[in-house]
Amino acid sequence: MLELAIAAFTTLFVTVGPVEVAAIFLSVTPRESAAQRRRTAITASIVAAAVLAAFALGGRSLLEVIGVGLPAFRAAGGILLLKMAADLLLAERTGLTSITAEEEREAENQPDVAVFPLAIPMIAGPGTITAVLLMMGRAKTFAADAMVLGCIVAICLVTLICMLAAGRLVRLLGLTGINVIARVSGILLAALAMQFIFDGLEQSGILS
């Protein structure tokens, strides 16, 4: 249980990237007051937690409906997370690790950015949803399922705190500091992604 909790929290932390989210949060809320930013951050965190929890609870059933086995999803999800890790290591902003330049320009004209682009795809993006499904695939008991759900809530709370303290974080870390955190996260995510790929290949029977 402890191993699952550490793996789930670490995987979600590096796929969400709370510090990177905080930096984007500042860039898409330039004209909002402090009170408006607080409401935006809270709304985004709640929506993201709800989306991730929905995928956590219904993801396995969805895979069964479309006929995808867990071994195949583990291997495919590992490849997706490996691509995300490469983007983090190279400090590249893509649809997996951040929002694209086009999405950021669109967000500047949005009256409310809480749902798009903050909740989706910044917090509950494709990489994070994949990580949630992979973690739920590791959970074998109700208590383990609850542990993963608890990690989802915890990472959304951490992200909320980072958004509320975004100004101080960006001033303290600067662009270089944020990129250093992203690169360290990329190394951890690459290792986790390879483990998912190995697990999927092993469970598929290809390696036996």
Side-chain angles (χ1 to χ4, degrees):
M1 286 289 289
L2 179 60
E3 181 181 348
L4 176 64
I6 294 172
F9 186 84
T10 303
T11 304
L12 290 174
F13 185 88
V14 297
T15 51
V16 171
V19 177
E20 294 91 331
V21 171
I24 296 295
F25 173 73
L26 279 183
S27 71
V28 297
T29 58
R31 293 182 293 273
E32 292 189 2
S33 65
Q36 288 173 322
R37 280 183 170 175
R38 186 162 54 250
R39 285 195 297 270
T40 297
I42 292 171
T43 301
S45 300
I46 292 173
V47 171
V51 170
L52 294 175
F55 274 98
L57 296 173
R60 280 179 287 197
S61 298
L62 176 62
L63 292 178
E64 290 174 4
V65 168
I66 63 178
V68 175
L70 277 178
F73 186 79
R74 283 195 177 99
I79 293 170
L80 179 66
L81 294 182
L82 192 61
K83 171 63 169 65
M84 187 175 182
D87 292 341
L88 289 171
L89 285 167
L90 297 173
E92 292 183 352
R93 287 179 57 181
T94 68
L96 281 176
T97 58
S98 182
I99 56 176
T100 63
E102 291 79 8
E103 288 173 331
E104 187 169 348
R105 283 194 296 270
E106 182 179 339
E108 291 174 356
N109 300 317
Q110 293 283 342
D112 185 0
V113 296
V115 176
F116 172 83
L118 288 175
I120 305 167
M122 278 303 305
I123 304 174
T128 311
I129 291 171
T130 300
V132 165
L133 292 176
L134 290 172
M135 286 296 109
M136 290 300 287
R138 281 189 174 184
K140 304 300 182 184
T141 64
F142 177 78
D145 288 347
M147 181 71 73
V148 175
L149 288 171
C151 288
I152 290 172
V153 173
I155 202 65
C156 286
L157 284 174
V158 171
T159 305
L160 172 60
I161 292 169
C162 287
M163 284 192 288
L164 294 177
R168 280 170 287 182
L169 272 176
V170 171
R171 284 195 299 271
L172 177 65
L173 297 173
L175 179 60
T176 301
I178 292 173
N179 285 340
V180 166
I181 292 174
R183 287 186 169 98
V184 172
S185 298
I187 294 170
L188 294 174
L189 185 58
L192 289 166
M194 289 305 301
Q195 187 60 55
F196 285 130
I197 293 172
F198 292 154
D199 290 346
L201 292 176
E202 181 181 3
Q203 291 168 11
S204 70
I206 294 177
L207 299 181
S208 60

